[in-house]
């Protein structure tokens, strides 16, 4: 027989940089309770089944598997998303794309948005939820990601969003949007970071983009102007050292009012601009 407090005290995840948080998330999931439950009821007895489930989760985490894949879910902005191994795990820095989109467009107008490479649907569904009057299209090239994002959309009852199977703009030819945003793959194929930590478990289709990591960003920037409405914005996440290259790309394709913003780690992380015609 064991209690919550002793399971928390004795659990060890020596290789995880977020060990304490991981342990709490895994135990809360094994109990089927929110994390706050652990601190409210530390003396509560844990059933054998829950203790075994927790031990299984810990074992998987010790092999390096990300917590989000073990639990099959991840919080992002104001929503909880189902996640799976075909898609990137939504990251806190990507919330800047959501925040900036909300800032760039007035809320009360029925704007049309496009999210390229939506994965779980994190960006598109967060915006669709916060702005019910916007019409949000989310696309992905990976069929499993399309199905996952569609499940997330349905579970969150977001009727103002749609998810399409599309390689970048292929399914939206001839359409124009007021804002296009994307967190595309942007890691260079030889980046040693790909062999470390949680990233090892994520699909390279969502991470890697050619020798300098810029192949997809180049493609998106070059094709975006014909899909933007007049004064429409393009908003992109990129690598910490890709700010100058992305600003040059935007400038070269006629974008104006180009700006870059830094993430909480003080790295250049998102760059945006607009076209006037
Ligand atoms: N920021 C992610 C990482 O470095 C990469 C995400 C992406 O390629 N879009 O792990």
């Amino acid at each position: 027989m064991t209690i919550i407090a002793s399971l928390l005290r004795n659990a060890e995840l020596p290789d995880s940089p977020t060990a304490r948080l991981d342990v709490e998330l895994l135990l809360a999931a094994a109990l089927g309770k929110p994390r706050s439950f652990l601190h409210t009821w530390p003396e509560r007895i844990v059933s054998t089944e829950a203790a075994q489930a927790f031990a299984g989760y810990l074992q998987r985490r010790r092999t390096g598997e990300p917590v989000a894949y073990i639990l099959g879910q991840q919080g992002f902005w104001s929503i909880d998303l189902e996640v799976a191994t075909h898609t990137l795990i939504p990251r806190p820095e990507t919330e800047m794309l959501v925040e900036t989109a909300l800032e760039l467009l007035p809320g009360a107008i029925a704007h049309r948005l496009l999210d390229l490479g939506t994965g779980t649907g994190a960006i598109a569904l967060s915006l669709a939820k916060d702005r019910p009057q916007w019409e949000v299209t989310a696309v992905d090239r990976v069929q499993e990601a399309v199905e996952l994002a569609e499940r997330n959309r349905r579970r969150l009852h977001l009727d103002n969003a749609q998810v399409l199977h599309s390689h970048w703009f292929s399914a939206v030819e001839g359409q124009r949007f007021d804002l296009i945003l994307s967190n595309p793959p942007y890691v260079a194929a030889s980046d040693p970071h790909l062999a470390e930590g949680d990233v090892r478990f994520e699909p390279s289709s969502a991470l890697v983009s050619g020798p300098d990591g810029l192949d997809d960003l180049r493609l998106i920037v070059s094709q975006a102007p014909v899909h933007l409405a007049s004064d429409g914005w393009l908003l992109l996440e990129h690598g910490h050292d890709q700010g100058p290259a992305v600003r040059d790309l935007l400038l070269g394709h006629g974008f104006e009012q180009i700006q870059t913003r830094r993430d909480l780690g003080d790295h250049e992380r998102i760059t945006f601009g607009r076209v006037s015609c």
Side-chain angles (χ1 to χ4, degrees):
M1 203 173 72
T2 184
I3 59 168
I4 287 178
S6 61
L7 283 179
L8 283 179
R9 206 172 32 243
N10 297 328
E12 279 177 10
L13 289 174
D15 297 329
S16 170
T18 52
R20 179 76 198 171
L21 175 65
D22 295 357
V23 166
E24 291 188 10
L25 290 170
L26 295 173
L27 182 54
L31 293 166
K33 302 284 185 197
R35 224 173 106 211
S36 57
F37 185 90
L38 307 176
H39 303 289
T40 316
W41 305 105
E43 306 299 322
R44 191 62 72 91
I45 292 170
V46 179
S47 71
T48 314
E49 296 77 51
Q52 277 171 356
F54 177 55
Y57 291 163
L58 277 180
Q59 187 47 38
R60 286 169 68 183
R61 182 64 185 135
R62 279 191 207 106
T63 69
E65 192 174 345
V67 172
Y69 287 154
I70 297 172
L71 302 183
Q73 64 169 48
Q74 170 78 24
F76 178 86
W77 196 248
S78 65
I79 56 181
D80 270 322
L81 294 154
E82 178 190 337
V83 298
T85 50
H86 334 279
T87 63
L88 202 71
I89 298 166
R91 296 172 168 41
E93 61 266 29
T94 303
E95 292 179 341
M96 275 179 76
L97 283 177
V98 174
E99 210 175 329
T100 308
L102 292 171
E103 198 183 302
L104 291 175
L105 295 184
I109 298 170
H111 292 292
R112 299 192 71 213
L113 266 74
L114 174 65
D115 174 23
L116 296 166
T118 199
T120 58
I123 302 166
L125 300 179
S126 297
L127 288 167
K129 176 163 185 254
D130 277 21
R131 293 286 183 265
Q133 60 283 43
W134 290 359
E135 192 190 305
V136 181
T137 300
V139 303
D140 207 288
R141 181 169 59 110
V142 176
Q143 183 59 35
E144 289 90 344
V146 173
E147 287 163 17
L148 177 67
E150 174 59 14
R151 279 201 300 282
N152 279 321
R153 186 196 71 75
R154 248 185 278 131
R155 190 176 30 79
L156 294 161
H157 306 293
L158 295 169
D159 295 335
N160 57 327
Q162 61 167 343
V163 186
L164 304 176
H165 187 216
S166 175
H167 186 205
W168 302 130
F169 296 97
S170 66
V172 293
E173 282 311 321
Q175 296 187 43
R176 287 185 184 264
F177 300 86
D178 302 299
L179 189 145
I180 298 172
L181 71 180
S182 184
N183 172 19
Y186 56 67
V187 180
S190 59
D191 191 327
H193 158 75
L194 292 167
E196 293 162 13
D198 286 8
V199 182
R200 287 172 298 158
F201 289 77
E202 294 181 294
S204 63
S205 62
L207 290 163
V208 179
S209 191
D212 61 358
L214 288 164
D215 281 5
D216 289 293
L217 283 160
R218 273 191 282 267
L219 199 137
I220 292 170
V221 174
S222 68
Q223 295 185 5
V226 296
H227 295 95
L228 280 168
S230 178
D231 289 330
W233 294 97
L234 175 63
L235 182 44
L236 298 165
E237 181 173 324
H238 52 73
H240 64 94
D241 54 356
Q242 292 171 334
V246 174
R247 289 191 288 277
D248 277 356
L249 278 172
L250 288 171
L251 212 54
H253 286 87
F255 284 85
E256 297 167 2
Q257 299 178 43
I258 298 166
Q259 281 184 52
T260 295
R261 291 192 177 167
R262 289 171 180 272
D263 62 19
L264 290 174
D266 204 28
H267 298 119
E268 290 195 334
R269 186 59 64 191
I270 67 166
T271 294
F272 54 97
R274 78 199 307 190
V275 285
S276 51
C277 54

